[in-house]
Amino acid sequence: MFFTYLRRELRRRRRAALVVASGLALGIALVIVVTSVSSGTGKAQDKVLESLYGLGTDMTVTKAAEPPSDSGSDRPRRPRFEFDAQDEGSDEEQSSDRVMVQGFQTLASSTVDEVGELSGVADAVGGLSLQVVKVSGQFRRGQVQQDGRSGQGGPDGGPGGGGSSPQGRVQGGGAEFDVNSYTVYGTDVTESALGPLTSSEITTGRTFEATETDAEVAVVDSAYAEEKELEAGDTVTVKGTEYKVIGIATATSGDAAANLYIPLKQAQTLADAEDEVTTVYVKATDSQRIDDVKSAIRKNVPGTTVTTSADLADTVSGSLSTASSLATGVGRWLSVTVLVAAFLVAGLLTSSAVSRRVREFGTLKALGWSSGRVTRQVAGEAVVTGLVGGVLGIALGLAGAYAVTSASPTLQAQLGGGTGGPGGGGPGGPGRQAARTLDVALSAPVDLTTLALAVGLALAGGLVAGAFGGLRASRLRPADALRRVE
């Protein structure tokens, strides 16, 4: 009887039911789209952060920047390049390169063990970021031409003389030198799950093996390999040492952390930085303990700067940050406002429909229906209407999310140099000294949680509407209802 009456009433009042369902559908669809876009901006931001210091890293530890002294004696020395004089007539090409630690700030390798032993730390690994500057070119000798010129010089052309002396003039000659600067990152090959290389995918060749702790091998970033026309199996020379290219890595998001990756021991040897690292990458046992681990590192490892994902997120600006703020702030408030309005409208329309069915409900009560049964009937109709609105809202929301994903609007993420300093593990990551801009494609993924939220909102909307109408219907008295003429 309940479902038969329900079906007949909804069919008879399908226009009113469709209006109520459409209002709820718009509110639910807006919630789905805003939630999906918010999730998409969050994932886009995660990709940007992963490109800074690698996938799986919860925080980085670098040496705290020292305040500059007034004397300036603590300033890093500029690299010096010296070229030997060649034999006469020789125009051979000369080259000289200098390997410098990024930021000139290093930590002892023992810091990695200190951090790894702290409570809440699942793993810790060190890395050394280097900057290589190579100057190469050749000198061209000029030709000396002799010509005579009169003057007032003394004997032999000296001052006070009246004779003339031959004058030499050099024509031609000069020098042509190219300056090539690139970054090299020393990675711990025994710990492949942490560090900047985890944000890249090996597309050609292979990655490091755990036994290659001091091997002369290198993994090259794909962009740098294309620029220098390098392939797996080729060799690259750094400070006189040849490294065999075993793999080409392509950054999965943003740009790569370095142009070349080599074993940590090799990097320390090149930079004369034995037992030193620039960055310690830390993975916590639980994401809920990141703040506790950060505090523990600051307390137990003095003189260091700890940077978490949350700290890095604060440095991301541009359209990505704007979209994230709109989705989490204005978008959610807008969706809540529209949803509340839809609930209220549904409740008022249901209540209005009850007022037009006074004689109907009065007759049902006269036939023996209780107030509770009448209320349940009205509430049931409202819940079904809400579910219909939920189905329509999910369809509209999925269509909106699909449209956003298909369009894939490009957002820009501007990354500052950060407080970690050049080569540090803070914002900017290894080898990043200046602000830069990354392009990130926005998507709007819809997960099961979002769909469950939509169903819950549909049921809530139906219950709100049913509460309005049911309360109105329960207060009707049969005698008053039957006396009313419509």
Side-chain angles (χ1 to χ4, degrees), residues 133-171:
V133 180
K134 182 175 182 179
V135 178
S136 58
Q138 61 184 5
F139 293 100
R140 297 193 309 273
R141 294 183 179 275
Q143 300 295 326
V144 180
Q145 295 184 355
Q146 302 290 340
D147 58 356
R149 186 177 64 179
S150 298
Q152 299 299 322
D156 298 331
S164 62
S165 63
Q167 300 292 326
R169 183 174 57 181
V170 178
Q171 291 185 342

Side-chain angles (χ1 to χ4, degrees), residues 5-323:
Y5 193 85
L6 176 66
R7 185 177 64 255
R8 289 177 179 177
E9 284 300 315
L10 290 177
R11 182 180 301 174
R12 185 172 64 89
R13 298 183 303 103
R14 57 179 176 272
R15 182 175 299 178
L18 185 59
V19 171
V20 175
S22 299
L24 292 174
L26 290 176
I28 293 171
L30 183 59
V31 171
I32 292 177
V33 172
V34 170
T35 302
S36 301
V37 171
S38 178
S39 177
T41 55
K43 291 185 176 182
Q45 196 169 52
D46 289 341
K47 288 184 178 180
V48 172
L49 299 184
E50 288 170 9
S51 71
L52 292 180
Y53 55 23
L55 178 66
T57 304
D58 292 322
M59 67 191 74
T60 56
V61 182
T62 56
K63 185 175 181 179
E66 299 178 355
S69 62
D70 296 335
S71 61
S73 59
D74 58 344
R75 295 177 181 176
R77 294 179 299 174
R78 296 180 179 180
R80 294 175 56 88
F81 298 90
E82 298 178 358
F83 299 95
D84 295 332
Q86 302 289 345
D87 295 335
E88 184 176 355
S90 175
D91 291 331
E92 294 182 359
E93 181 173 332
Q94 302 184 63
S95 66
S96 178
D97 50 8
R98 293 293 180 267
V99 179
M100 300 166 290
V101 175
Q102 286 275 9
F104 301 96
Q105 300 285 340
T106 60
L107 296 168
S109 296
S110 58
T111 307
V112 180
D113 297 329
E114 293 181 36
V115 173
E117 294 174 355
L118 296 177
S119 176
V121 175
D123 199 3
V125 61
L128 184 65
S129 182
L130 306 177
Q131 181 80 23
V132 181
V133 180
K134 182 175 182 179
V135 178
S136 58
Q138 61 184 5
F139 293 100
R140 297 193 309 273
R141 294 183 179 275
Q143 300 295 326
V144 180
Q145 295 184 355
Q146 302 290 340
D147 58 356
R149 186 177 64 179
S150 298
Q152 299 299 322
D156 298 331
S164 62
S165 63
Q167 300 292 326
R169 183 174 57 181
V170 178
Q171 291 185 342
E176 292 182 357
F177 283 86
D178 294 328
V179 178
N180 181 25
S181 177
Y182 57 95
T183 54
V184 177
Y185 192 82
T187 181
D188 190 341
V189 298
T190 62
E191 297 285 350
S192 59
L194 285 179
L197 190 54
T198 59
S199 64
S200 298
E201 179 183 358
I202 302 297
T203 52
T204 303
R206 63 175 178 85
T207 188
F208 297 106
E209 296 179 355
T211 57
E212 296 175 323
T213 55
D214 200 18
E216 295 176 353
V217 292
V219 173
V220 185
D221 173 60
S222 58
Y224 187 75
E226 182 178 358
E227 177 187 351
K228 301 299 181 181
E229 298 181 352
L230 295 173
E231 297 179 353
D234 293 343
T235 59
V236 292
T237 303
V238 182
K239 200 178 180 180
T241 303
E242 291 188 351
Y243 292 90
K244 181 180 179 181
V245 178
I246 59 173
I248 306 298
T250 301
T252 55
S253 58
D255 60 354
N259 300 128
L260 299 178
Y261 301 89
I262 61 177
L264 178 58
K265 286 186 178 181
Q266 284 289 323
Q268 291 171 335
T269 301
L270 288 176
D272 294 327
E274 299 295 336
D275 297 325
E276 293 181 356
V277 295
T278 53
T279 312
V280 180
Y281 299 88
V282 183
K283 181 176 180 61
T285 56
D286 191 338
S287 59
Q288 304 298 323
R289 301 194 62 183
I290 291 179
D291 291 337
D292 295 337
V293 173
K294 180 178 180 179
S295 301
I297 295 175
R298 285 179 170 178
K299 179 180 179 181
N300 295 279
V301 189
T304 58
T305 298
V306 185
T307 308
T308 65
S309 299
D311 299 328
L312 287 173
D314 293 337
T315 70
V316 179
S317 59
S319 57
L320 173 60
S321 178
T322 303

Side-chain angles (χ1 to χ4, degrees), residues 1-10 12 357 360-361 364 369 377 381:
M1 181 64 181
F2 174 81
F3 292 102
T4 301
Y5 193 85
L6 176 66
R7 185 177 64 255
R8 289 177 179 177
E9 284 300 315
L10 290 177
R12 185 172 64 89
R357 300 167 63 187
E360 174 188 342
F361 291 136
L364 292 175
W369 280 38
Q377 187 68 42
E381 295 174 8

